[in-house]
Coordinates of all heavy atoms in Angstrom, one line a residue:
M1 N 103.7 97.6 82.7 CA 102.9 97.1 83.8 C 102.3 98.4 84.5 O 103.1 99.2 84.9 CB 103.7 96.3 84.8 CG 103.0 95.9 86.0 SD 103.9 94.9 87.2 CE 104.7 96.3 88.1
N2 N 101.0 98.4 84.7 CA 100.4 99.5 85.4 C 99.7 98.9 86.7 O 98.9 98.0 86.6 CB 99.4 100.2 84.6 CG 100.1 100.9 83.4 OD1 101.0 101.7 83.6 ND2 99.5 100.8 82.2
I3 N 100.0 99.5 87.8 CA 99.3 99.2 89.0 C 98.0 100.0 89.0 O 98.0 101.2 89.0 CB 100.1 99.5 90.3 CG1 101.4 98.9 90.3 CG2 99.3 99.2 91.6 CD1 101.4 97.4 90.3
T4 N 96.8 99.3 88.9 CA 95.6 100.0 88.7 C 94.8 100.1 90.0 O 93.8 100.8 90.0 CB 94.7 99.3 87.6 OG1 94.7 97.9 87.9 CG2 95.4 99.5 86.2
D5 N 95.2 99.3 91.0 CA 94.5 99.4 92.3 C 95.4 99.0 93.4 O 96.1 98.0 93.3 CB 93.2 98.6 92.3 CG 92.3 98.8 93.5 OD1 92.3 100.0 94.0 OD2 91.6 97.9 94.0
V6 N 95.3 99.7 94.5 CA 96.1 99.3 95.7 C 95.1 99.3 96.9 O 94.5 100.4 97.2 CB 97.3 100.2 96.0 CG1 98.0 99.8 97.3 CG2 98.2 100.3 94.8
R7 N 94.9 98.2 97.6 CA 94.0 98.1 98.7 C 94.8 97.8 100.0 O 95.5 96.8 100.0 CB 92.9 97.1 98.5 CG 92.1 97.5 97.3 CD 90.9 96.6 97.2 NE 90.2 97.0 95.9 CZ 89.0 97.1 95.8 NH1 88.2 96.9 96.9 NH2 88.4 97.5 94.7
V8 N 94.7 98.7 101.0 CA 95.5 98.6 102.2 C 94.5 98.2 103.4 O 93.5 98.9 103.6 CB 96.2 99.9 102.5 CG1 96.9 99.9 103.8 CG2 97.1 100.3 101.3
R9 N 94.9 97.2 104.1 CA 94.2 96.9 105.4 C 95.3 97.1 106.5 O 96.2 96.2 106.7 CB 93.7 95.4 105.3 CG 92.8 95.1 106.4 CD 92.2 93.7 106.3 NE 93.2 92.7 106.6 CZ 93.5 91.7 105.8 NH1 93.1 91.6 104.6 NH2 94.4 90.8 106.2
K10 N 95.1 98.2 107.2 CA 96.1 98.5 108.3 C 95.9 97.5 109.5 O 94.7 97.1 109.8 CB 95.9 99.9 108.8 CG 96.5 100.9 107.8 CD 96.6 102.3 108.4 CE 97.4 103.2 107.5 NZ 97.6 104.6 108.1
I11 N 97.0 97.2 110.1 CA 96.9 96.4 111.3 C 97.2 97.3 112.5 O 98.2 98.0 112.6 CB 98.1 95.3 111.3 CG1 98.0 94.5 110.0 CG2 98.1 94.4 112.5 CD1 96.8 93.7 109.8
T12 N 96.3 97.2 113.5 CA 96.4 98.1 114.7 C 97.1 97.5 115.8 O 97.4 98.2 116.8 CB 95.0 98.7 115.1 OG1 94.1 97.5 115.4 CG2 94.4 99.5 114.0
K13 N 97.3 96.2 115.8 CA 97.9 95.5 116.9 C 99.4 95.9 117.0 O 100.0 96.3 116.0 CB 97.8 94.0 116.7 CG 96.4 93.5 116.7 CD 96.3 92.0 116.5 CE 94.9 91.6 116.3 NZ 94.7 90.2 115.8
E14 N 100.0 95.7 118.2 CA 101.4 96.0 118.3 C 102.2 95.0 117.5 O 101.8 93.9 117.3 CB 101.8 95.8 119.8 CG 101.4 96.9 120.7 CD 102.1 98.2 120.4 OE1 103.4 98.2 120.3 OE2 101.5 99.2 120.4
G15 N 103.3 95.4 117.0 CA 104.2 94.6 116.2 C 104.8 95.3 115.0 O 104.4 96.5 114.8
K16 N 105.6 94.6 114.3 CA 106.3 95.2 113.2 C 105.5 95.3 111.9 O 105.7 96.1 111.0 CB 107.6 94.5 112.9 CG 108.6 94.7 114.0 CD 109.9 94.0 113.7 CE 110.9 94.2 114.8 NZ 112.2 94.0 114.5
M17 N 104.5 94.4 111.8 CA 103.6 94.4 110.6 C 102.6 95.5 110.7 O 101.8 95.5 111.7 CB 103.0 93.0 110.3 CG 102.2 93.0 109.0 SD 101.7 91.4 108.4 CE 100.7 90.8 109.7
K18 N 102.5 96.4 109.8 CA 101.7 97.6 109.9 C 100.4 97.4 109.0 O 99.4 98.1 109.2 CB 102.4 98.8 109.5 CG 103.6 99.1 110.5 CD 103.1 99.2 111.9 CE 104.3 99.4 112.9 NZ 103.8 99.4 114.3
A19 N 100.5 96.6 107.9 CA 99.4 96.5 107.0 C 99.6 95.3 106.1 O 100.7 94.8 105.9 CB 99.3 97.8 106.1
V20 N 98.5 94.9 105.5 CA 98.4 93.8 104.5 C 97.8 94.5 103.3 O 96.8 95.2 103.4 CB 97.6 92.6 104.9 CG1 97.6 91.6 103.8 CG2 98.2 92.0 106.2
V21 N 98.5 94.3 102.1 CA 98.1 95.0 100.9 C 97.8 94.1 99.8 O 98.4 93.0 99.6 CB 99.2 96.0 100.5 CG1 98.9 96.7 99.2 CG2 99.5 97.0 101.6
S22 N 96.8 94.4 98.9 CA 96.6 93.7 97.6 C 96.8 94.8 96.5 O 96.4 95.9 96.6 CB 95.2 93.2 97.6 OG 95.0 92.2 98.6
V23 N 97.5 94.4 95.5 CA 97.6 95.2 94.3 C 97.1 94.6 93.1 O 97.2 93.3 92.9 CB 99.1 95.6 94.0 CG1 99.7 96.4 95.2 CG2 100.0 94.4 93.8
T24 N 96.4 95.4 92.2 CA 95.9 94.9 91.0 C 96.8 95.4 89.9 O 97.1 96.6 89.8 CB 94.4 95.3 90.8 OG1 93.7 94.8 91.9 CG2 93.8 94.7 89.5
I25 N 97.1 94.6 88.9 CA 98.0 95.0 87.8 C 97.1 94.9 86.5 O 96.5 93.9 86.2 CB 99.2 94.0 87.7 CG1 100.0 94.0 89.0 CG2 100.0 94.3 86.5 CD1 100.9 92.9 89.1
D26 N 97.1 96.1 85.8 CA 96.4 96.2 84.5 C 95.0 95.8 84.6 O 94.4 95.3 83.6 CB 97.2 95.4 83.4 CG 98.5 96.0 83.1 OD1 98.7 97.2 83.2 OD2 99.4 95.2 82.8
N27 N 94.3 96.0 85.7 CA 92.9 95.5 85.9 C 92.7 94.1 85.6 O 91.6 93.7 85.3 CB 92.0 96.4 85.1 CG 91.8 97.8 85.7 OD1 91.7 97.9 86.9 ND2 91.7 98.8 84.8
E28 N 93.8 93.2 85.6 CA 93.6 91.9 85.2 C 94.2 90.8 86.1 O 93.9 89.7 86.0 CB 94.3 91.7 83.8 CG 93.6 92.5 82.7 CD 94.3 92.3 81.4 OE1 95.3 91.6 81.3 OE2 93.8 92.8 80.4
F29 N 95.2 91.3 87.0 CA 95.9 90.3 87.8 C 96.1 90.9 89.2 O 96.5 92.1 89.3 CB 97.3 90.0 87.2 CG 98.0 88.9 87.9 CD1 97.7 87.6 87.5 CD2 99.0 89.1 88.8 CE1 98.4 86.5 88.1 CE2 99.7 88.1 89.4 CZ 99.4 86.8 89.1
V30 N 95.8 90.1 90.3 CA 95.9 90.7 91.6 C 96.9 89.8 92.4 O 97.0 88.6 92.2 CB 94.5 90.7 92.3 CG1 94.0 89.3 92.6 CG2 94.6 91.5 93.6
V31 N 97.7 90.5 93.3 CA 98.6 89.9 94.2 C 98.2 90.3 95.6 O 98.1 91.5 95.9 CB 100.1 90.3 93.9 CG1 101.0 89.7 94.9 CG2 100.5 90.0 92.5
H32 N 97.8 89.3 96.4 CA 97.4 89.5 97.8 C 98.5 89.3 98.8 O 99.5 88.7 98.4 CB 96.2 88.6 98.2 CG 95.0 88.7 97.4 ND1 94.2 89.8 97.5 CD2 94.4 88.0 96.4 CE1 93.1 89.7 96.7 NE2 93.3 88.6 96.0
D33 N 98.3 89.7 100.0 CA 99.2 89.4 101.1 C 100.6 90.0 101.0 O 101.6 89.5 101.5 CB 99.3 87.9 101.4 CG 98.0 87.4 101.8 OD1 97.2 88.1 102.4 OD2 97.8 86.2 101.6
I34 N 100.7 91.2 100.4 CA 102.0 92.0 100.5 C 101.9 92.7 101.8 O 100.9 93.3 102.2 CB 102.1 93.0 99.3 CG1 102.1 92.3 98.0 CG2 103.3 93.8 99.5 CD1 101.9 93.2 96.8
K35 N 103.0 92.6 102.6 CA 103.0 93.1 103.9 C 103.8 94.4 104.0 O 104.8 94.5 103.4 CB 103.6 92.1 104.9 CG 102.7 90.9 105.0 CD 103.4 89.8 105.7 CE 102.6 88.5 105.7 NZ 102.5 87.9 104.4
V36 N 103.3 95.4 104.8 CA 104.0 96.6 105.1 C 104.7 96.4 106.5 O 103.9 96.1 107.4 CB 103.1 97.9 105.1 CG1 103.9 99.1 105.5 CG2 102.5 98.1 103.7
I37 N 106.0 96.4 106.5 CA 106.7 96.1 107.7 C 107.5 97.3 108.2 O 108.1 98.0 107.4 CB 107.7 94.9 107.5 CG1 107.0 93.7 106.9 CG2 108.5 94.6 108.8 CD1 106.1 93.0 107.8
E38 N 107.6 97.5 109.5 CA 108.4 98.6 110.0 C 109.7 98.0 110.5 O 109.8 97.2 111.4 CB 107.7 99.3 111.2 CG 108.5 100.5 111.7 CD 107.7 101.3 112.7 OE1 106.6 101.0 113.1 OE2 108.2 102.4 113.0
G39 N 110.8 98.4 109.8 CA 112.1 97.9 110.1 C 113.0 99.0 110.7 O 112.5 100.1 111.0
E40 N 114.2 98.7 111.0 CA 115.1 99.7 111.6 C 115.3 100.9 110.8 O 115.5 102.0 111.3 CB 116.5 99.0 111.9 CG 116.4 97.9 112.9 CD 117.7 97.3 113.2 OE1 118.8 97.8 112.7 OE2 117.8 96.2 113.8
K41 N 115.2 100.8 109.5 CA 115.4 102.0 108.6 C 114.1 102.5 108.0 O 114.2 103.3 107.1 CB 116.4 101.6 107.4 CG 117.7 101.1 107.9 CD 118.6 100.7 106.7 CE 119.9 100.3 107.2 NZ 120.8 99.8 106.1
G42 N 113.0 102.1 108.6 CA 111.7 102.7 108.1 C 110.9 101.6 107.5 O 111.2 100.4 107.7
L43 N 109.8 102.0 106.9 CA 108.8 101.0 106.3 C 109.4 100.4 105.0 O 110.1 101.1 104.2 CB 107.5 101.7 106.0 CG 106.7 102.3 107.2 CD1 105.5 103.1 106.7 CD2 106.3 101.2 108.1
F44 N 109.0 99.1 104.8 CA 109.3 98.4 103.6 C 108.3 97.4 103.3 O 107.4 97.1 104.2 CB 110.7 97.8 103.6 CG 110.9 96.7 104.6 CD1 110.7 95.3 104.2 CD2 111.2 96.9 106.0 CE1 110.8 94.3 105.1 CE2 111.3 95.8 106.9 CZ 111.1 94.6 106.4
I45 N 108.3 96.9 102.1 CA 107.3 95.8 101.8 C 107.9 94.5 101.8 O 109.1 94.3 101.5 CB 106.5 96.1 100.4 CG1 107.5 96.1 99.3 CG2 105.8 97.4 100.5 CD1 106.8 96.1 97.9
A46 N 107.1 93.4 102.1 CA 107.5 92.1 102.0 C 106.5 91.3 101.1 O 105.3 91.4 101.4 CB 107.6 91.4 103.4
M47 N 107.0 90.7 100.1 CA 106.1 90.0 99.2 C 105.6 88.8 99.8 O 106.1 88.3 100.8 CB 106.9 89.7 97.9 CG 107.5 90.9 97.2 SD 106.2 92.1 96.7 CE 105.3 91.2 95.5
P48 N 104.4 88.3 99.3 CA 103.8 87.1 99.8 C 104.8 85.9 99.8 O 105.5 85.7 98.8 CB 102.6 86.8 98.9 CG 102.7 87.8 97.8 CD 103.7 88.8 98.1
S49 N 104.9 85.1 100.9 CA 105.9 84.0 100.9 C 105.3 82.8 101.5 O 104.2 82.9 102.1 CB 107.1 84.5 101.7 OG 106.7 84.8 103.0
R50 N 106.0 81.7 101.4 CA 105.6 80.4 102.0 C 106.8 79.8 102.6 O 107.9 79.9 102.1 CB 105.1 79.5 100.8 CG 104.8 78.1 101.3 CD 104.3 77.3 100.2 NE 103.0 77.8 99.6 CZ 102.6 77.7 98.4 NH1 103.3 77.0 97.5 NH2 101.5 78.2 98.0
K51 N 106.6 79.1 103.7 CA 107.7 78.5 104.4 C 108.0 77.1 103.8 O 107.1 76.3 103.6 CB 107.3 78.3 105.9 CG 108.5 77.8 106.8 CD 108.0 77.8 108.2 CE 109.2 77.5 109.2 NZ 108.7 77.6 110.6
S52 N 109.2 76.9 103.4 CA 109.6 75.7 102.7 C 110.0 74.6 103.7 O 110.0 74.9 104.9 CB 110.8 76.0 101.7 OG 111.9 76.3 102.5
A53 N 110.2 73.4 103.2 CA 110.5 72.3 104.1 C 111.8 72.5 104.9 O 111.9 72.0 106.0 CB 110.7 71.0 103.2
D54 N 112.7 73.3 104.4 CA 114.0 73.6 105.2 C 113.8 74.7 106.2 O 114.8 75.1 106.8 CB 115.1 73.8 104.2 CG 115.0 75.1 103.4 OD1 114.0 75.8 103.5 OD2 115.9 75.3 102.5
G55 N 112.6 75.3 106.3 CA 112.3 76.3 107.3 C 112.5 77.7 106.7 O 112.3 78.7 107.4
E56 N 113.1 77.9 105.5 CA 113.3 79.2 104.9 C 111.9 79.7 104.3 O 111.1 78.9 103.9 CB 114.3 79.1 103.8 CG 115.7 78.7 104.2 CD 116.4 79.9 104.9 OE1 116.2 81.0 104.4 OE2 117.1 79.6 105.8
Y57 N 111.8 81.0 104.3 CA 110.6 81.6 103.6 C 111.0 82.0 102.2 O 112.1 82.5 102.0 CB 110.1 82.8 104.4 CG 109.3 82.4 105.6 CD1 110.0 82.3 106.9 CD2 108.0 82.2 105.6 CE1 109.3 81.9 108.0 CE2 107.3 81.8 106.7 CZ 107.9 81.7 107.9 OH 107.2 81.4 109.0
R58 N 110.2 81.6 101.3 CA 110.4 81.9 99.9 C 109.3 82.7 99.3 O 108.1 82.4 99.5 CB 110.6 80.6 99.1 CG 111.6 79.7 99.6 CD 112.6 79.2 98.6 NE 113.5 78.1 99.0 CZ 114.6 78.3 99.7 NH1 114.9 79.5 100.1 NH2 115.3 77.3 100.1
D59 N 109.6 83.8 98.6 CA 108.6 84.6 97.9 C 107.8 83.8 96.9 O 108.4 83.0 96.1 CB 109.2 85.8 97.2 CG 109.7 86.9 98.2 OD1 109.4 86.8 99.4 OD2 110.3 87.8 97.7
I60 N 106.5 83.9 96.9 CA 105.6 83.3 96.0 C 105.5 84.1 94.7 O 105.5 83.5 93.6 CB 104.2 83.1 96.6 CG1 104.3 82.1 97.8 CG2 103.2 82.6 95.5 CD1 103.0 82.1 98.6
A61 N 105.4 85.4 94.9 CA 105.3 86.3 93.7 C 106.2 87.5 94.1 O 106.2 87.9 95.3 CB 103.9 86.8 93.5
H62 N 107.0 88.0 93.1 CA 107.9 89.1 93.4 C 108.4 89.8 92.1 O 108.4 89.2 91.1 CB 109.1 88.6 94.2 CG 109.9 87.5 93.5 ND1 110.9 87.8 92.6 CD2 109.8 86.2 93.5 CE1 111.4 86.7 92.1 NE2 110.8 85.7 92.7
P63 N 108.8 91.0 92.3 CA 109.3 91.8 91.1 C 110.7 91.1 90.7 O 111.4 90.6 91.6 CB 109.5 93.2 91.6 CG 108.7 93.3 92.8 CD 108.6 91.9 93.4
I64 N 110.9 91.1 89.4 CA 112.2 90.5 88.9 C 113.4 91.5 89.0 O 114.5 91.0 89.1 CB 112.0 90.0 87.5 CG1 111.0 88.9 87.5 CG2 113.3 89.6 86.8 CD1 110.6 88.4 86.1
N65 N 113.1 92.8 89.0 CA 114.2 93.7 89.0 C 114.0 94.8 90.1 O 112.9 95.0 90.6 CB 114.5 94.3 87.6 CG 113.4 95.1 87.1 OD1 112.9 96.0 87.8 ND2 112.9 94.7 85.9
T66 N 115.1 95.5 90.4 CA 115.1 96.5 91.5 C 114.2 97.7 91.1 O 113.5 98.2 92.0 CB 116.6 97.0 91.7 OG1 117.4 95.8 92.1 CG2 116.6 98.0 92.9
D67 N 114.2 98.1 89.9 CA 113.4 99.3 89.5 C 111.9 99.0 89.7 O 111.2 99.8 90.3 CB 113.6 99.7 88.1 CG 115.0 100.3 87.8 OD1 115.6 100.8 88.8 OD2 115.4 100.3 86.7
T68 N 111.5 97.8 89.4 CA 110.1 97.4 89.6 C 109.8 97.3 91.0 O 108.7 97.8 91.5 CB 109.8 96.1 88.8 OG1 110.1 96.2 87.5 CG2 108.3 95.7 89.0
R69 N 110.6 96.7 91.8 CA 110.4 96.6 93.3 C 110.3 98.0 93.9 O 109.5 98.3 94.7 CB 111.5 95.8 94.0 CG 111.3 95.8 95.5 CD 112.3 94.9 96.2 NE 112.1 93.5 96.0 CZ 111.2 92.8 96.8 NH1 110.5 93.4 97.7 NH2 111.1 91.5 96.6
D70 N 111.2 98.9 93.5 CA 111.2 100.2 94.1 C 110.0 101.0 93.7 O 109.4 101.6 94.6 CB 112.4 101.0 93.6 CG 113.8 100.5 94.1 OD1 113.7 99.8 95.1 OD2 114.8 100.9 93.6
S71 N 109.5 100.9 92.5 CA 108.3 101.6 92.1 C 107.0 101.0 92.8 O 106.1 101.7 93.2 CB 108.1 101.7 90.6 OG 107.9 100.4 90.0
L72 N 107.0 99.7 92.9 CA 105.9 99.0 93.6 C 105.9 99.4 95.1 O 104.9 99.8 95.7 CB 106.0 97.5 93.5 CG 105.0 96.6 94.2 CD1 103.6 96.9 93.6 CD2 105.3 95.2 94.0
Q73 N 107.1 99.4 95.7 CA 107.2 99.8 97.1 C 106.7 101.3 97.3 O 106.0 101.6 98.3 CB 108.6 99.6 97.7 CG 108.8 100.0 99.1 CD 110.0 99.5 99.7 OE1 110.1 98.3 100.0 NE2 111.0 100.3 99.9
K74 N 107.1 102.1 96.4 CA 106.8 103.5 96.5 C 105.2 103.7 96.5 O 104.6 104.4 97.3 CB 107.4 104.3 95.4 CG 107.2 105.8 95.5 CD 107.9 106.6 94.4 CE 107.6 108.0 94.5 NZ 107.1 108.7 93.3
L75 N 104.6 103.0 95.5 CA 103.1 103.1 95.4 C 102.4 102.6 96.6 O 101.5 103.2 97.1 CB 102.7 102.3 94.1 CG 102.8 103.0 92.8 CD1 102.6 102.0 91.7 CD2 101.9 104.2 92.7
I76 N 102.9 101.4 97.1 CA 102.3 100.8 98.3 C 102.4 101.7 99.5 O 101.5 101.9 100.2 CB 102.8 99.4 98.5 CG1 102.3 98.4 97.4 CG2 102.4 98.8 99.9 CD1 102.9 97.1 97.4
L77 N 103.6 102.2 99.7 CA 103.8 103.0 100.9 C 103.1 104.3 100.9 O 102.6 104.8 101.9 CB 105.3 103.2 101.2 CG 106.1 102.0 101.5 CD1 107.6 102.3 101.7 CD2 105.5 101.2 102.7
E78 N 102.9 104.9 99.7 CA 102.1 106.1 99.5 C 100.6 105.8 99.9 O 100.0 106.5 100.6 CB 102.2 106.7 98.1 CG 103.5 107.4 97.8 CD 103.6 107.8 96.4 OE1 102.7 107.5 95.6 OE2 104.7 108.4 96.1
A79 N 100.1 104.6 99.4 CA 98.8 104.2 99.7 C 98.6 103.9 101.2 O 97.6 104.3 101.7 CB 98.4 103.0 98.8
Y80 N 99.6 103.4 101.8 CA 99.6 103.1 103.2 C 99.5 104.4 104.0 O 98.7 104.5 104.9 CB 100.8 102.3 103.6 CG 101.0 102.2 105.1 CD1 100.2 101.3 105.9 CD2 101.8 103.0 105.8 CE1 100.4 101.2 107.2 CE2 102.0 103.0 107.2 CZ 101.2 102.0 107.9 OH 101.4 102.0 109.3
E81 N 100.3 105.4 103.6 CA 100.3 106.7 104.3 C 98.9 107.4 104.2 O 98.5 108.1 105.1 CB 101.4 107.6 103.8 CG 102.8 107.0 104.2 CD 103.1 106.9 105.7 OE1 102.5 107.7 106.5 OE2 103.9 106.1 106.0
N82 N 98.3 107.2 103.1 CA 97.0 107.8 102.8 C 95.8 107.1 103.3 O 94.7 107.6 103.3 CB 96.8 108.1 101.3 CG 97.8 109.2 100.8 OD1 98.2 110.1 101.5 ND2 98.3 109.0 99.6
A83 N 96.0 105.8 103.7 CA 94.9 104.9 104.1 C 94.4 105.4 105.5 O 95.2 105.8 106.3 CB 95.3 103.5 104.1
E84 N 93.1 105.3 105.7 CA 92.5 105.6 107.0 C 92.8 104.5 108.0 O 92.8 103.3 107.7 CB 91.0 105.9 106.9 CG 90.7 107.1 106.0 CD 89.2 107.3 106.0 OE1 88.5 106.8 106.9 OE2 88.8 108.0 105.0
D85 N 93.0 104.9 109.3 CA 93.2 103.9 110.3 C 91.8 103.2 110.6 O 90.8 103.9 110.6 CB 93.6 104.6 111.6 CG 95.1 105.0 111.5 OD1 95.8 104.5 110.7 OD2 95.4 106.0 112.2
V86 N 91.8 101.9 110.8 CA 90.6 101.1 111.0 C 90.8 100.4 112.3 O 91.9 99.8 112.6 CB 90.4 100.1 109.9 CG1 89.2 99.3 110.2 CG2 90.3 100.8 108.5
E87 N 89.8 100.5 113.2 CA 89.9 99.8 114.5 C 89.7 98.3 114.2 O 88.8 97.9 113.5 CB 88.8 100.3 115.4 CG 89.0 101.7 115.9 CD 90.3 101.9 116.7 OE1 90.5 101.0 117.6 OE2 91.0 102.9 116.6
E88 N 90.5 97.5 114.9 CA 90.3 96.0 114.8 C 90.0 95.5 116.2 O 90.4 95.9 117.2 CB 91.6 95.4 114.3 CG 91.8 95.5 112.9 CD 92.9 94.6 112.4 OE1 93.5 93.8 113.1 OE2 93.3 94.8 111.2

């Protein structure tokens, strides 16, 4: 799997969510609404999710293993750091 494009939309409002990201895989498949969140231990990504009937949030799309999640997070956070700030 090759990430062929990462698009970052920074959020300038106060809060823990810092950006919304879309990634393209192999120039053929896109995943929208990955969030960059500032947590107690630094930035991390949250995959797109939906609230279920029991009130829990469940990921709609997500990496199956830790290595893939780690490499995806590394690419996204690098793109976030390099993205220009946009006024909202």
Side-chain angles (χ1 to χ4, degrees):
M1 174 182 86
N2 293 313
I3 304 297
T4 51
D5 190 31
V6 179
R7 297 189 186 224
V8 177
R9 192 174 75 235
K10 285 191 172 184
I11 307 294
T12 57
K13 297 176 186 170
E14 285 291 316
K16 294 183 181 199
M17 187 166 61
K18 301 300 178 186
V20 178
V21 178
S22 296
V23 295
T24 304
I25 302 166
D26 294 328
N27 286 322
E28 296 180 357
F29 189 81
V30 68
V31 179
H32 296 290
D33 295 332
I34 300 171
K35 295 166 186 68
V36 176
I37 308 289
E38 186 168 6
E40 292 179 13
K41 298 179 182 178
L43 295 174
F44 67 93
I45 63 169
M47 298 304 293
S49 61
R50 174 180 300 151
K51 192 173 187 177
S52 65
D54 65 4
E56 295 283 323
Y57 283 91
R58 306 230 189 276
D59 287 349
I60 296 169
H62 59 88
I64 293 177
N65 60 56
T66 302
D67 290 341
T68 303
R69 176 175 285 277
D70 290 345
S71 65
L72 181 62
Q73 180 164 284
K74 183 178 183 233
L75 282 169
I76 289 172
L77 294 181
E78 285 174 0
Y80 170 79
E81 294 298 333
N82 293 325
E84 293 183 21
D85 291 333
V86 177
E87 291 295 321
E88 283 189 10

